[in-house]
């Protein structure tokens, strides 16, 4: 119990849980890889037989509906997964043309879904460890395979559409020349198909709701007739038994059970409907994205789990010419895989695509940062000369807001197929190129700015125009790597890279965010104040505690407790997030005006909330973001207590503790200090500056820095918030300086 309380104290809003066991596989505890291998083969044979002796399209359709209707945004261990449906579709394509039209009862559906889950679990469990791998290499390889098997969607749907349109529209001409159609139009058509299936799903389940709620027998029969007409097997099973059920409730239940066999209607698009919706070249391209049953009969079934052919060709071709689209969401789960497969072998198109992908990523980063931080000045392609070597270096995106400099390195490269399968050499190479080198690149500029300070010279690569970051005063630099795809929790923190020997404690590190994650942060933190504070905390998070989780988990933690962590209370524990991303699984429409101050995830007492708003709106206060960050980095209960002292002082109550009050909170190597001076009169400028400098000198930690905001509160003041504020930053580095 004490351990649980310590975790909750160290990370407010969170508790300690035991990882859930696998209840559906009793008796498999302690199985060896060879035992799982034997069970895996048996399970696979059972599933293929299961599909051969029943109507496989009913099973696939019902599985798809089960997954879609359970997608409530809440993560549960027993929740159906998209991978379950993907494997069902692939097994259908492995089996060949449909040979049976037998129905499937409710109990057999449950048995089938349990077998699918066991097959996937068995696939991972049966893989033997390589003899030449270290423990960490085996662990990372396994995590990569799990990521490939289960993790889906780099973007929200809206973000995916924006990204794919932004990239593919840049290669419209070369794609039309090479393929006979524009890839941007094909992607739009695939999105439209998703909407068509969604409309049919809504229509179908509207009949189910009506079936279960209608008061009149005639309405119930009308719904039953719809299901009978929707799919031949449903009609054959019913066999004109309407009059057999005189009781209305029995008729309802029978109709509901029969409707389970009509689900293929939802996912079946007739050729005539497809022809009527899209131009002929797009229709032909859509059909080339389909695979007929038996079309995968020549492939090794072992390869469908980590390199599934339906990730490139997501539709099923039926013998009647219709498209069966049980997984319309694959266009959002694997958009790049689908589109890149179509470019294969067209060298000019592939070259144009790689260029479009890189350029779009940089422009998208600029656009999101500009939207989220309207006060920032943003530069793309910043070049500078290393004074020691004379080499010219370039950094992708540099944003300066107040005294903060944010460096974003854009990496548009792709994760290799071998990496997704857990190949050690490929993982090491991919990790270094995509996730280590950006930190080194941004670290070089950070070191240059820190050491050269006001003597640093930067220019835009495109125009050679000088870039003025106003380095006459100390700036704090935060670095990030923005990629199109990464391994989420596996690469969100650097501890795996460190254990693999790819980085050390002294290697510059830029936290890795995907473009979709940057979109998500901008969407949920739709106030400039919160967005900036999140980035400053995220950049230094690993100095505070060791964690395992993806950006959804970390953003959820910020929305829960402002990323407030008591390092001492955690006592070196690693935080592993499990099912902790509910706060960002809801729909959120971001406000257009990001200058509205809203403190997401941080609850301040009324006075400090008003002070933050006041400071932010003082555009002439060049330290406004520094001061706000000091406030937001304090413990809210301590701030509330300080507010009570201020209010007592202004009411004329004497303060026995003297005319000064302090709050301090360490984050990594920095100490964030908030000092309050209670005064009967307004201190003069010279007196105020001396007071602040002396305070900072007293607070300066060894081997780090201090950021101190000082406030004066005068007893009989007409100011609603504070009477004077200043900020001091001391950083221990070569040629260090301070700011006041």
């Amino acid at each position: 119990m004490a351990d649980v309380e310590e975790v909750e104290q160290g990370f407010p809003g969170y508790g300690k849980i035991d990882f859930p066991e696998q209840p559906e596989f009793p008796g498999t505890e302690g199985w060896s890889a060879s035992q799982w291998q034997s069970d895996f083969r048996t399970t696979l044979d059972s599933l293929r037989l299961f599909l051969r002796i029943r109507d496989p399209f009913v099973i696939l359709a019902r599985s798809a509906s089960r997954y879609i209707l359970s997608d409530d945004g809440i993560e549960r261990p027993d929740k159906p997964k998209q991978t379950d449906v993907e494997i069902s579709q692939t097994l259908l394509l492995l089996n060949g043309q449909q040979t049976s039209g037998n129905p499937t009862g409710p109990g057999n559906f449950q048995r089938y879904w349990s077998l699918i889950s066991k097959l996937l679990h068995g696939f991972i469990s049966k893989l033997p460890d390589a003899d030449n791998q270290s423990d960490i290499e085996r662990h990372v390889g396994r995590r990569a395979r799990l990521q490939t098997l289960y993790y889906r969607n780099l973007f929200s749907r809206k973000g995916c559409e924006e990204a794919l349109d932004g990239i593919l529209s840049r290669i419209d001409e070369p794609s039309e020349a090479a393929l006979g159609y524009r890839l941007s139009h094909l992607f739009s058509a695939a999105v439209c198909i998703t909407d068509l299936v969604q409309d049919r799903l809504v229509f179908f389940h509207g009949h189910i709701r009506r079936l279960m709620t209608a008061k009149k027998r005639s309405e119930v029969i009308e719904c039953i007739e719809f299901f009978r007409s929707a799919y031949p097997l449903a009609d054959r099973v019913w066999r004109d038994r309407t009059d057999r059920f005189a009781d209305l409730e029995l008729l309802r239940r029978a109709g509901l059970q029969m409707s389970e066999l009509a689900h293929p209607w939802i996912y079946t698009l007739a050729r005539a409907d497809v022809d009527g919706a899209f131009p002929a070249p797009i229709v032909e391209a859509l059909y080339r994205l389909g695979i007929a049953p038996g079309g995968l009969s020549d492939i090794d079934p072992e390869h469908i789990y980590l390199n599934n052919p339906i990730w490139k060709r997501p539709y099923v071709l039926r013998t009647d010419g219709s498209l069966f689209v049980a997984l319309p969401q694959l266009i959002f789960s694997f958009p790049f895989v689908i589109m890149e497969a179509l470019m294969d072998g067209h060298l000019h198109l592939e070259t144009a695509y790689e260029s479009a992908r890189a350029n779009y990523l940089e422009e998208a980063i600029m656009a999101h940062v500009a939207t989220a931080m309207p006060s920032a000045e943003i530069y793309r392609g910043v070049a500078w000369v290393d004074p020691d070597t004379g080499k010219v270096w370039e950094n992708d995106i540099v944003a300066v807001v107040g005294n903060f400099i944010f460096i974003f390195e854009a990496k548009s490269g792709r994760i290799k197929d071998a990496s997704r399968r857990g190949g050690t050499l490929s993982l090491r190479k991919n990790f270094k190129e995509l996730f280590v080198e950006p930190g080194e690149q941004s670290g070089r500029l950070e070191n240059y700015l820190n050491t050269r300070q006001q003597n640093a010279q930067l220019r835009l690569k495109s125009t050679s125009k000088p870039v003025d970051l106003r380095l006459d005063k100390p700036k704090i630099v935060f670095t990030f790597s923005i990629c199109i795809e990464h391994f989420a929790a596996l690469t969100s923190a650097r501890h795996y890279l460190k254990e693999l020997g790819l980085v050390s404690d002294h290697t510059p590190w830029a936290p890795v965010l995907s473009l979709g994650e940057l979109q998500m942060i901008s969407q949920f933190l739709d106030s400039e104040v919160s967005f900036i504070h999140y980035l400053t905390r995220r950049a230094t998070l690993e100095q505070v505690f060791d964690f395992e989780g993806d950006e959804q988990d970390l953003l959820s933690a910020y929305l829960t407790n402002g990323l407030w962590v008591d390092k001492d209370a955690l006592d070196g524990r690693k935080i592993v997030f499990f099912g902790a991303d509910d706060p960002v699984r809801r729909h959120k429409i971001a406000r257009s005006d990001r200058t509205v101050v809203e403190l997401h995830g941080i609850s301040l007492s009324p006075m400090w909330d008003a002070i933050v708003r006041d400071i932010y709106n003082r555009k002439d206060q060049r330290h406004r973001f520094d001061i706000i960050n000091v406030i937001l980095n304090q413990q809210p209960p301590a701030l509330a207590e300080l507010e009570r002292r201020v209010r007592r002082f202004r009411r004329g109550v004497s303060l026995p503790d003297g005319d000064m009050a302090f709050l301090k909170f360490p984050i990594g190597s920095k100490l964030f200090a908030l000092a309050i001076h209670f005064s009967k009169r307004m201190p003069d400028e010279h007196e105020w500056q001396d007071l602040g400098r002396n305070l900072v000198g007293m607070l300066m930690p060894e081997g780090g820095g201090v950021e101190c905001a000082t406030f004066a509160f005068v007893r009989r003041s007409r100011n609603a918030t504070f009477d004077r504020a200043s900020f001091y930053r001391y950083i221990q580095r070569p040629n260090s300086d301070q700011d006041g």
Side-chain angles (χ1 to χ4, degrees):
M1 178 62 71
D3 190 53
V4 173
E5 291 175 353
E6 288 172 6
V7 171
E8 293 175 348
Q9 180 181 347
F11 205 50
Y14 289 80
K16 180 181 176 182
I17 65 168
D18 294 324
F19 281 105
E21 298 179 358
Q22 202 80 25
E24 62 266 48
F25 310 132
T28 62
E29 302 84 355
W31 270 16
S32 65
S34 60
Q35 286 175 297
W36 276 113
Q37 174 71 48
S38 176
D39 185 81
F40 171 80
R41 290 172 180 161
T42 301
T43 303
L44 178 60
D45 290 343
S46 297
L47 285 166
R48 295 188 70 172
L49 177 62
F50 195 104
L51 290 167
R52 274 196 296 269
I53 62 176
R54 295 171 177 83
D55 187 319
F57 287 96
V58 169
I59 297 170
L60 176 57
R62 186 66 188 89
S63 300
S65 296
R66 173 177 177 257
Y67 166 70
I68 293 172
L69 295 174
S70 69
D71 191 16
D72 53 8
I74 300 174
E75 194 66 31
R76 296 184 300 272
D78 59 342
K79 182 177 176 179
K81 297 174 176 59
Q82 182 174 317
T83 310
D84 300 346
V85 190
E86 292 173 9
I87 295 300
S88 293
Q89 178 166 317
T90 311
L91 293 178
L92 182 153
L93 298 173
L94 284 168
N95 263 2
Q97 294 294 336
Q98 182 176 349
T99 58
S100 174
N102 292 327
T104 303
N108 279 326
F109 275 125
Q110 294 296 331
R111 185 165 69 89
Y112 174 82
W113 294 328
S114 179
L115 284 173
I116 283 287
S117 181
K118 191 176 186 183
L119 180 78
L120 292 168
H121 184 79
F123 172 75
I124 290 295
S125 301
K126 78 180 182 64
L127 297 176
D129 293 330
D131 294 334
N132 60 343
Q133 287 183 317
S134 64
D135 289 343
I136 184 60
E137 287 174 335
R138 283 192 286 269
H139 180 70
V140 169
R142 178 182 173 85
R143 289 294 303 274
R145 290 189 289 271
L146 284 169
Q147 173 89 4
T148 301
L149 189 61
Y150 289 113
Y151 192 86
R152 298 293 179 266
N153 295 21
L154 299 168
F155 303 90
S156 65
R157 170 173 171 167
K158 181 175 181 293
C160 183
E161 290 184 46
E162 288 178 0
L164 269 292
D165 182 67
I167 295 172
L168 297 178
S169 62
R170 297 165 189 254
I171 57 170
D172 275 341
E173 291 185 8
S175 66
E176 189 165 27
L179 305 173
Y181 57 87
R182 298 187 170 192
L183 283 170
S184 64
H185 292 179
L186 177 61
F187 178 77
S188 296
V191 171
C192 183
I193 282 180
T194 300
D195 291 333
L196 290 173
V197 172
Q198 180 63 33
D199 289 344
R200 293 173 74 89
L201 180 72
V202 170
F203 186 79
F204 186 93
H205 284 277
H207 279 79
I208 289 182
R209 284 193 298 274
R210 189 180 173 204
L211 172 73
M212 301 308 295
T213 59
K215 304 299 182 183
K216 297 180 180 179
R217 183 179 179 87
S218 59
E219 293 179 356
V220 172
I221 292 174
E222 187 178 325
C223 293
I224 289 172
E225 291 304 312
F226 164 74
F227 295 128
R228 292 180 63 187
S229 65
Y231 196 66
L233 181 59
D235 181 59
R236 181 161 61 87
V237 167
W238 191 255
R239 290 187 296 184
D240 293 321
R241 294 189 176 183
T242 305
D243 293 338
R244 178 177 176 179
F245 302 100
D247 181 82
L248 185 60
E249 288 306 314
L250 289 178
L251 181 63
R252 265 192 234 281
R253 293 174 195 170
L256 179 64
Q257 185 170 338
M258 179 268 291
S259 73
E260 301 235 308
L261 307 178
H263 279 258
W265 178 89
I266 301 169
Y267 306 101
T268 303
L269 301 178
R271 177 67 189 246
D273 294 334
V274 179
D275 286 339
F278 310 109
I282 296 299
V283 171
E284 294 306 313
L286 289 170
Y287 270 80
R288 284 196 292 273
L289 292 179
I291 304 174
L296 300 182
S297 58
D298 293 336
I299 74 166
D300 185 343
E302 291 275 344
H303 296 167
I304 68 175
Y305 305 93
L306 301 178
N307 190 19
N308 199 325
I310 72 168
W311 296 344
K312 296 179 181 178
R313 299 172 64 189
Y315 306 140
V316 178
L317 303 177
R318 299 208 62 175
T319 54
D320 61 1
S322 62
L323 276 184
F324 195 79
V325 190
L327 288 158
Q329 63 272 29
L330 284 180
I331 194 60
F332 304 121
S333 299
F334 300 97
F336 297 108
V337 175
I338 293 171
M339 295 298 145
E340 288 165 9
L342 297 169
M343 305 178 207
D344 191 29
H346 300 279
L347 183 59
H348 179 66
L349 177 56
E350 290 178 318
T351 302
Y353 168 73
E354 295 297 341
S355 177
R357 186 172 158 121
N359 286 325
Y360 172 78
L361 179 58
E362 291 189 14
E363 291 179 12
I365 294 170
M366 285 194 69
H368 287 300
V369 172
T371 297
M373 296 193 299
S375 301
E377 297 174 16
I378 306 172
Y379 306 93
R380 179 185 179 192
V382 175
W384 53 280
V385 179
D386 187 328
D388 296 325
T389 64
K391 185 171 182 178
V392 178
W393 296 101
E394 181 185 351
N395 294 86
D396 296 324
I397 309 293
V398 177
V400 57
V401 55
N403 294 310
F404 299 149
I405 295 174
F406 296 98
I407 302 172
F408 301 94
E409 287 302 315
K411 279 295 181 181
S412 62
R414 286 174 277 180
I415 294 176
K416 305 301 183 185
D417 288 344
S419 297
R420 297 185 188 281
R421 296 192 293 270
T424 298
L425 293 179
S426 185
L427 277 171
R428 285 181 171 275
K429 184 177 180 180
N430 252 175
F431 281 5
K432 183 170 178 56
E433 291 175 349
L434 296 181
F435 314 129
V436 177
E437 289 180 2
E440 296 172 341
Q441 291 170 333
S442 55
R444 278 191 290 265
L445 177 55
E446 180 180 7
N447 181 65
Y448 176 69
L449 296 176
N450 287 341
T451 55
R452 302 292 292 181
Q453 298 182 49
Q454 63 266 33
N455 296 319
Q457 296 181 0
L458 304 101
R459 58 182 173 82
L460 293 177
K461 182 181 179 182
S462 58
T463 64
S464 295
K465 180 180 177 181
V467 173
D468 182 12
L469 300 182
R470 295 179 295 282
L471 297 169
D472 55 316
K473 296 296 182 181
K475 297 291 192 291
I476 296 297
V477 180
F478 303 97
T479 62
F480 294 90
S481 171
I482 310 297
C483 57
I484 289 181
E485 54 185 334
H486 72 131
F487 277 109
L490 190 58
T491 47
S492 289
R494 71 173 179 175
H495 57 84
Y496 284 121
L497 301 177
K498 184 177 177 181
E499 292 182 47
L500 285 169
L502 296 175
V503 300
S504 69
D505 289 333
H506 305 293
T507 305
W509 170 250
V512 179
L513 308 178
S514 70
L515 179 59
E517 289 167 342
L518 181 63
Q519 291 173 339
M520 174 186 66
I521 296 167
S522 176
Q523 177 184 1
F524 279 90
L525 303 183
D526 54 356
S527 175
E528 182 175 35
V529 168
S530 286
F531 183 84
I532 291 173
H533 183 241
Y534 181 83
L535 291 187
T536 63
R537 291 303 316 277
R538 178 66 180 93
T540 59
L541 198 59
E542 289 174 277
Q543 298 176 20
V544 180
F545 74 112
D546 193 11
F547 66 88
E548 186 165 325
D550 59 23
E551 206 63 32
Q552 288 181 308
D553 296 317
L554 298 178
L555 178 57
S556 296
Y558 186 83
L559 294 171
T560 300
N561 63 21
L563 279 180
W564 178 70
V565 182
D566 187 335
K567 184 177 181 179
D568 293 335
L570 288 180
D571 192 27
R573 295 178 179 86
K574 176 194 279 189
I575 296 295
V576 179
F577 292 97
F578 181 80
D581 56 2
D582 286 352
V584 299
R585 287 182 173 270
R586 58 186 173 85
H587 181 63
K588 170 71 181 289
I589 299 176
R591 65 163 57 89
S592 57
D593 182 4
R594 305 302 180 95
T595 64
V596 174
V597 177
E598 181 177 355
L599 301 177
H600 297 284
I602 297 178
S603 299
L604 295 183
S605 57
M607 184 190 80
W608 290 109
D609 185 83
I611 286 176
V612 168
R613 296 172 190 276
D614 188 356
I615 290 287
Y616 178 77
N617 290 319
R618 298 189 183 198
K619 301 295 193 296
D620 58 340
Q621 170 57 269
R622 63 188 178 89
H623 293 296
R624 59 185 180 134
F625 292 109
D626 300 303
I627 295 171
I628 289 171
N629 258 26
V630 169
I631 296 172
L632 298 184
N633 285 340
Q634 304 301 319
Q635 299 178 14
L639 286 170
E641 175 57 31
L642 200 55
E643 176 176 341
R644 284 190 285 271
R645 294 185 63 183
V646 171
R647 294 191 182 280
R648 288 199 300 269
F649 171 74
R650 283 186 161 174
R651 291 198 306 268
V653 178
S654 62
L655 300 177
D657 298 330
D659 61 356
M660 294 297 300
F662 300 92
L663 290 181
K664 298 181 294 182
F665 196 79
I667 297 179
S669 61
K670 291 182 187 174
L671 180 69
F672 291 87
L674 182 63
I676 300 298
H677 178 51
F678 302 103
S679 179
K680 294 180 180 180
R681 60 174 179 81
M682 178 73 75
D684 64 43
E685 186 68 26
H686 181 73
E687 177 187 6
W688 181 246
Q689 292 293 334
D690 284 344
L691 176 67
R693 289 192 177 97
N694 291 335
L695 285 173
V696 173
M698 293 167 50
L699 296 169
M700 187 70 182
E702 290 189 18
V706 60
E707 301 194 12
C708 178
T710 60
F711 288 90
F713 291 90
V714 177
R715 174 158 283 168
R716 290 182 174 85
S717 174
R718 296 182 180 179
N719 293 315
T721 52
F722 59 91
D723 296 286
R724 177 163 281 174
S726 60
F727 175 81
Y728 300 85
R729 171 179 288 123
Y730 277 64
I731 306 169
Q732 292 186 2
R733 62 191 181 202
N735 302 318
S736 64
D737 200 354
Q738 64 275 348
D739 205 0

